[in-house]
Amino acid sequence: MAHFVIMGCGRVGATLAHTLEDAGHSVAIIDQDDRAFRRLRTGFTGRKVTGVGFDRETMKQAGVEEAYAFAAVSSGDNSNILATRVARETFHVPHVVARIYDPGRAEIYQRLGIPTVAAVRWSADQVLRRILPEQHIAGDFRDPSGRLVLAEVDLAAGWIGHAVSAIEKAAGIRVAYLTRFGEGMLPGAGTSYQDGDTVHAMLDVDRSTEVAHILAKSPAKES
C-alpha cells in the first residue's frame, strides 16, 4: 500500500481518489472549497484537506512528505504546475503529474521533465499510468500471442548513470526506447539511464512482477 496525494476534487480528482482507494492505497485529496468534497462517495476513508494545493503546510497536512505520488488535477494550469514542482522539488515525491489545459504549455513543461497530461486528450487512465507502477506494466502494446508487452518500467534511483545494456541484462528485458525531456530516443550502445528518463521496454508478460522487483532495487555493487 502506498500513499497518494491529489490536488483538486473535481470529477477528475474524485475519480482518481476512488480508484486508488479501491486498489488498497491511502489517499489524501486537497481542494480550496470544502463543498467540492461532496463529489466523493459516502464511505470514502481518505483525508480531505481544505486549502491551497501548492501551499507547503496544506501539502504537509495531506501527507505529501510520505507520498509515493502527487497528482495535480485542479482547473488551473498555473496552480497545477506550481503544486507539482513543490511536490517534486521541495518534498521529493518520486512520481508527479500535472493536468494542463493548454497543449502547448503541456509540451513545454514535459520538456522540462514535469510529466503532464493535456486536457484535450485527458483520461483518468493516463494519469494513473504515470503514478501507479502496476498500470505501467499493463502495457501500451501486446504481441498477437499475448506473451510480450511493451510497457513503461520504473527504476530505482540507483540505476542512474548505468548503461541501458546493463539494465537489459539484469532484468532480462529489451529497452525499446527512452523518453528524455519529453522526446523519444532510441538507446545506442553507449546510452546510460539518466534522472528523469522514462524507460519503455519489451518484456515477457509472465515475468512482469519479477522485472518490477528487480528494477525497484538498486543494482548490486561490483566487488
Side-chain angles (χ1 to χ4, degrees):
M1 186 179 73
H3 182 57
F4 293 80
V5 177
I6 300 167
M7 170 187 159
C9 194
R11 180 178 57 85
V12 175
T15 298
L16 291 173
H18 294 155
T19 301
L20 291 166
E21 186 176 60
D22 287 344
H25 301 290
S26 65
V27 182
I29 189 161
I30 302 169
D31 203 285
Q32 296 185 67
D33 186 353
D34 57 8
R35 292 174 297 180
F37 299 130
R38 297 173 184 171
R39 294 186 176 91
L40 297 169
R41 65 191 174 196
T42 302
F44 175 72
T45 60
R47 277 182 253 178
K48 294 174 279 189
V49 181
T50 304
V52 177
F54 51 80
D55 176 74
R56 288 167 175 77
E57 291 304 315
T58 300
M59 296 173 83
K60 286 181 180 179
Q61 290 179 41
V64 73
E65 291 171 304
E66 61 264 18
Y68 173 82
F70 178 89
V73 292
S74 76
S75 59
D77 284 7
N78 291 336
S79 296
N80 288 344
I81 284 296
L82 180 56
T84 303
R85 292 192 62 183
V86 172
R88 188 181 67 176
E89 297 169 13
T90 301
F91 296 107
H92 309 293
V93 178
H95 302 277
V96 299
V97 61
R99 181 192 189 192
I100 302 297
Y101 283 83
D102 183 343
R105 296 175 71 186
E107 183 176 350
I108 291 171
Y109 290 122
Q110 191 80 32
R111 288 174 181 269
L112 293 175
I114 301 173
T116 61
V117 173
V120 292
R121 58 179 185 271
W122 180 89
S123 73
D125 287 343
Q126 290 183 34
V127 173
L128 287 168
R129 284 167 62 82
R130 287 161 172 79
I131 60 176
L132 275 177
E134 57 265 34
Q135 292 296 112
H136 295 175
I137 292 297
D140 297 317
F141 167 82
R142 292 188 183 227
D143 79 300
S145 73
R147 290 185 55 207
L148 300 176
V149 61
L150 174 64
E152 292 181 20
V153 292
D154 286 318
L155 283 81
W159 287 102
I160 294 172
H162 285 256
V164 168
S165 58
I167 296 170
E168 292 179 324
K169 182 177 180 180
I173 60 177
R174 180 64 57 85
V175 175
Y177 68 99
L178 305 174
T179 301
R180 182 172 292 174
F181 301 118
E183 294 187 346
M185 63 172 286
L186 294 174
T191 303
S192 296
Y193 173 63
Q194 295 185 10
D195 188 16
D197 283 354
T198 300
V199 178
H200 309 263
M202 292 296 300
L203 56 119
D204 193 310
V205 172
D206 293 338
R207 295 188 60 249
S208 58
T209 300
E210 179 187 355
V211 168
H213 287 163
I214 291 171
L215 297 179
K217 299 177 182 178
S218 296
K221 295 183 179 180
E222 297 182 0
S223 56

